[in-house]
């Protein structure tokens, strides 16, 4: 049984130009450094933002548990928008839910407003807990992004 769709929107303003924030979202080496909550690392990070390209990331928690996800890039407008699908995978590589992610970049002088909008669908019962933690997880990731941007400036 699947539950109905859920949505999440997070808005953040970064003290960095849009070109730098864009680079942090489009370079797999940067993604590897900030993707996932504090303490998580990404030993596998297949992230090449071009329409149609597949995504595969393995987030490794501090306790050693691997959380795999896959997806696909749907739309890329340089310095403006990234749209991609993603899904957390269970131990049999079956999707626990699907997410349509839209990341909008808005230049505000030498700062960047980022709007992250997620639509969760095809939610399996065992995936519901992951979705419950999505807002906190994204905010923790975006906190790590701030640290990276400060290093890159």
């Amino acid at each position: 049984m699947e539950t109905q769709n859920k949505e999440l929107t997070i808005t953040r303003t970064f003290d960095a130009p849009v070109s730098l924030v864009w680079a942090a979202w489009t370079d797999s080496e940067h993604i590897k450094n900030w993707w996932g909550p504090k303490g998580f690392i990404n030993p596998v990070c297949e992230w090449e933002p071009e329409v149609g390209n597949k995504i595969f990331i393995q987030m490794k928690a501090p306790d050693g548990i691997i959380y795999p996800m896959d997806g696909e890039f749907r739309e890329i407008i340089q310095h403006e928008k990234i749209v991609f699908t993603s899904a957390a995978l269970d131990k049999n590589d079956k999707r626990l839910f699907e997410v349509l992610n839209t990341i909008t970049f808005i230049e505000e002088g030498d700062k960047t407003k980022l709007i992250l909008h997620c639509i969760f669908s095809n939610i399996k019962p065992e995936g519901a807990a992951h979705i419950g933690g999505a807002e906190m997880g994204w905010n923790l990731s975006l906190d790590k992004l701030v640290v990276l941007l400060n290093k890159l400036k």
Side-chain angles (χ1 to χ4, degrees), residues 42-139:
N42 300 292
V44 176
C45 183
E46 297 171 13
W47 180 278
E48 296 300 326
E50 292 183 23
V51 173
N53 278 2
K54 302 294 184 202
I55 298 166
F56 184 71
I57 296 176
Q58 288 185 341
M59 292 189 306
K60 185 176 180 182
D63 62 6
I65 295 175
I66 301 285
Y67 295 93
M69 62 157 278
D70 70 4
E72 180 179 330
F73 290 101
R74 295 277 178 89
E75 182 181 7
I76 309 287
I77 302 173
Q78 188 170 357
H79 295 168
E80 292 181 22
K81 187 181 348 181
I82 300 172
V83 179
F84 63 97
T85 60
S86 61
L89 305 174
D90 69 13
K91 63 183 178 200
N92 299 312
D93 292 331
K94 301 286 184 211
R95 290 177 160 209
L96 297 171
F97 54 83
E98 296 173 4
V99 189
L100 178 63
N101 305 275
T102 301
I103 316 303
T104 305
F105 302 77
I106 302 167
E107 186 175 358
E108 294 185 335
D110 58 354
K111 297 180 190 266
T112 303
K113 180 191 263 186
L114 183 132
I115 303 168
L116 176 128
H117 183 72
C118 306
I119 302 171
F120 299 87
S121 61
N122 299 320
I123 304 165
K124 309 289 188 274
E126 57 272 31
H130 292 273
I131 292 169
E135 183 171 9
M136 182 174 67
W138 268 116
N139 277 307

